[in-house]
Amino acid sequence: MKRIYLTLFLLFFSTSAFAFDVCEHEKKYSHVWYNNNCDDNLLQSTGQKSKIVKNTPWKGYPYNSDEIPNNAKPDYKILKYYLKKEIKNGKNNEGFKIKVKGTDNYKKLNFKLTSDDYVKKQLNKTALLSFLMYENGNITIDEITPKERFGKTFKNETLYVSHSVGKSLISYVTGHAICKGYISGINHKLNDWPVLENTLYYDQPIINLLNMASGDQKYVDTMSGLKNSNRWVNSVSMKSVMRKELKDSKRGKLKYNYSNLDTNIVASYVLYKMGNKEFKKLLNEILVDKVGIEHKVKAFRKNGNSVTYSYFASRYDYLRISIAILEDWNNNTCEGQYLKSLYENRVDKKRRNIGIDGYSMTKSYNGQFHTDIAGLKRPIFVMDGFGGQSHVIDFEKNKIISMLAIHRNYNWKKLVLKKLKQK
């Protein structure tokens, strides 16, 4: 028995010594350094509190995770809990450096309402919170979750999270920055921002990042985790990522690879080109002067000089943003020409197994918008976010369908696709 204990002790000691030796001799922040948990050892040895946020958003489900997992089947109690959590996040000022106040001169919406029994049924049975359909200048369907469901918590003025719908707003802001001359166009080379030097992103045209086709698939996965450290992209600055995980990185094949990193680079680059004051001014011009928001919008968390994409807005203001995009396209404004250039330069997702929602039913991606819905051969932009946030803009039919939800368990095909196919 003593011999067994001695063997186990020696094995443990040799293993620990090897890990310690690796941390002593390997280059800091290298793949090997991270893979041997040297980051944690360093923090422990210096007495620092860990700042490394892992990409584990669903750990602790059902009540202690960041989000409801995609494949979960939450009951009413769980849905209500996460609804309140998201709304509370929208009220929390931590991290949100950009707040745009609503205006008394907000864009007035016209209504020619019709009743839709299926929409009402979905609002009563699923995690759907809001359904708005806009056609030829009028809202034709306007339904919100009833009071006996989630209506005592979610109201017209409630600020609700965008999730990845915010990626599309980043693109829209980029288009405005281009039209104001801060960036030369979608082929503008990213070679004037020192942060990107010695990384795969340096000297690439910005359209590659807008299209999620920058060749970074070796370093970032589709769940937004950095592969060699598992750090969560939205919790770190671009300077930190480029100096650690992406230092001396080499671009791979320029193919579609959905992640948060490309978006955050674009957003942070626009901020760099414009400066804080002009960036905030531009966002105010877009949301107040053009979109005509009624309620406050809390936009984009900042980490130093880095920006992430998520924002909070009310249900009607989400629709107003979609209307502004629709009108830019149809009026062929400078921003409309930018949107059309995105469509002309879209990339194939190479996805052949079509799913049941706006993200997976689209075959192409253009400039932070999903497009080319299966079975529909016309330009339709889908702004899609985690949990069922979906705003669909059909430029030729002059139609918008806007939905907010707690969880993606509603029938997207019947609520959206069927209505897009109607004459």
Side-chain angles (χ1 to χ4, degrees):
M1 183 64 72
K2 290 182 179 179
R3 187 172 295 174
I4 294 173
Y5 282 138
L6 179 61
T7 303
L8 290 173
F9 172 78
L10 290 173
L11 179 62
F12 172 77
F13 179 79
S14 63
T15 304
S16 300
F18 174 74
F20 179 76
D21 186 65
V22 169
C23 296
E24 284 288 316
H25 294 94
E26 284 296 326
K27 186 177 180 180
K28 281 185 181 180
Y29 312 123
S30 67
H31 290 208
V32 176
W33 191 85
Y34 268 116
N35 289 340
N36 283 276
N37 298 317
C38 297
D39 48 349
D40 291 334
N41 293 343
L42 175 64
L43 290 167
Q44 290 171 11
S45 66
T46 57
Q48 298 177 39
K49 187 176 180 181
S50 177
K51 296 181 181 180
I52 298 173
V53 181
K54 301 291 186 180
N55 184 40
T56 54
W58 301 326
K59 184 178 180 181
Y61 182 78
Y63 289 107
N64 294 312
S65 67
D66 292 337
E67 304 164 339
I68 301 174
N70 274 320
N71 60 354
K73 296 182 179 179
D75 59 22
Y76 175 80
K77 185 179 178 181
I78 294 172
L79 288 171
K80 190 172 182 179
Y81 172 83
Y82 281 92
L83 170 62
K84 289 183 176 181
K85 184 176 181 179
E86 290 289 17
I87 292 173
K88 183 179 179 180
N89 288 338
K91 293 179 180 179
N92 187 351
N93 290 326
E94 184 180 354
F96 285 96
K97 302 298 183 182
I98 303 174
K99 306 176 188 71
V100 181
K101 293 182 179 180
T103 172
D104 292 336
N105 295 320
Y106 59 87
K107 181 180 179 66
K108 300 299 189 292
L109 300 169
N110 300 317
F111 296 82
K112 287 187 178 180
L113 297 179
T114 58
S115 182
D116 191 302
D117 291 338
Y118 187 75
V119 172
K120 292 178 181 179
K121 182 179 179 180
Q122 289 279 288
L123 284 162
N124 277 288
K125 298 292 184 181
T126 71
L128 189 65
L129 294 170
S130 171
F131 184 96
L132 292 163
M133 188 160 79
Y134 175 92
E135 299 177 274
N136 297 313
N138 299 295
I139 296 176
T140 55
I141 300 177
D142 180 2
E143 298 289 351
I144 191 170
T145 182
K147 285 187 177 181
E148 57 272 20
R149 184 90 174 138
F150 304 110
K152 291 182 180 180
T153 304
F154 181 86
K155 301 177 174 64
N156 286 335
E157 64 275 13
T158 299
L159 300 186
Y160 200 66
V161 65
S162 68
H163 289 303
S164 287
V165 169
K167 292 180 169 74
S168 302
L169 182 57
I170 288 294
S171 177
Y172 195 44
V173 171
T174 302
H176 284 75
I178 288 173
C179 289
K180 284 186 172 291
Y182 290 97
I183 300 170
S184 61
I186 63 170
N187 293 310
H188 178 91
K189 293 288 187 71
L190 300 176
N191 56 17
D192 57 351
W193 190 24
V195 167
L196 298 182
E197 289 183 3
N198 300 314
T199 74
L200 67 94
Y201 303 105
Y202 186 77
D203 207 35
Q204 287 209 48
I206 198 170
I207 185 61
N208 288 0
L209 284 77
L210 287 166
N211 279 346
M212 301 280 189
S214 59
D216 60 3
Q217 55 273 10
K218 179 180 177 181
Y219 305 95
V220 190
D221 65 18
T222 55
M223 293 302 296
S224 305
L226 292 155
K227 289 185 177 181
N228 55 7
S229 69
N230 200 34
R231 286 205 296 172
W232 185 40
V233 172
N234 288 353
S235 69
V236 294
S237 71
M238 293 301 96
K239 185 176 181 179
S240 172
V241 172
M242 300 308 153
R243 286 189 174 183
K244 296 178 182 180
E245 288 90 345
L246 275 298
K247 185 178 181 181
D248 297 323
S249 55
K250 306 298 181 184
R251 76 181 68 167
K253 184 179 180 180
L254 299 180
K255 65 179 183 179
Y256 176 72
N257 178 51
Y258 188 88
S259 79
N260 295 344
L261 184 54
D262 280 354
T263 311
N264 291 351
I265 294 172
V266 170
S268 302
Y269 180 73
V270 174
L271 176 66
Y272 166 74
K273 293 293 286 185
M274 298 191 67
N276 281 294
K277 184 177 180 180
E278 290 302 310
F279 185 86
K280 291 180 180 180
K281 181 181 177 182
L282 176 61
L283 196 62
N284 194 80
E285 289 174 358
I286 294 170
L287 293 176
V288 175
D289 300 338
K290 176 180 280 189
V291 172
I293 56 172
E294 180 179 4
H295 303 109
K296 177 170 59 178
V297 170
K298 301 178 73 172
F300 313 144
R301 293 183 185 276
K302 288 186 64 185
N303 187 339
N305 287 322
S306 300
V307 184
T308 62
Y309 52 83
S310 189
Y311 68 99
F312 286 80
S314 67
R315 62 191 292 260
Y316 287 130
D317 284 340
Y318 276 111
L319 177 63
R320 288 184 175 98
I321 291 170
S322 297
I323 292 172
I325 292 172
L326 175 70
E327 291 179 344
D328 271 336
W329 178 290
N330 288 338
N331 293 331
N332 203 34
T333 63
C334 177
E335 293 80 16
Q337 292 173 36
Y338 162 79
L339 294 168
K340 291 174 182 178
S341 72
L342 296 181
Y343 187 68
E344 291 168 359
N345 288 275
R346 63 193 183 278
V347 294
D348 191 343
K349 292 182 179 181
K350 304 295 183 183
R351 180 180 290 121
R352 296 294 173 255
N353 296 321
I354 300 301
I356 59 172
D357 53 55
Y359 172 82
S360 58
M361 285 199 68
T362 50
K363 297 184 291 184
S364 303
Y365 196 75
N366 60 183
Q368 309 286 301
F369 296 88
H370 302 274
T371 193
D372 289 343
I373 297 175
L376 295 174
K377 296 181 179 181
R378 60 180 186 270
I380 298 173
F381 281 15
V382 179
M383 300 188 287
D384 188 87
F386 182 86
Q389 323 319 317
S390 191
H391 311 277
V392 183
I393 307 172
D394 186 336
F395 297 109
E396 288 188 6
K397 299 293 184 181
N398 206 29
K399 180 183 291 187
I400 298 168
I401 296 174
S402 176
M403 298 182 294
L404 298 173
I406 312 167
H407 182 59
R408 200 188 295 271
N409 65 351
Y410 55 80
N411 193 322
W412 197 91
K413 284 186 176 181
K414 288 187 177 180
L415 286 171
V416 179
L417 186 59
K418 184 177 180 180
K419 288 179 167 53
L420 292 175
K421 288 182 177 180
Q422 293 173 348
K423 293 183 179 180

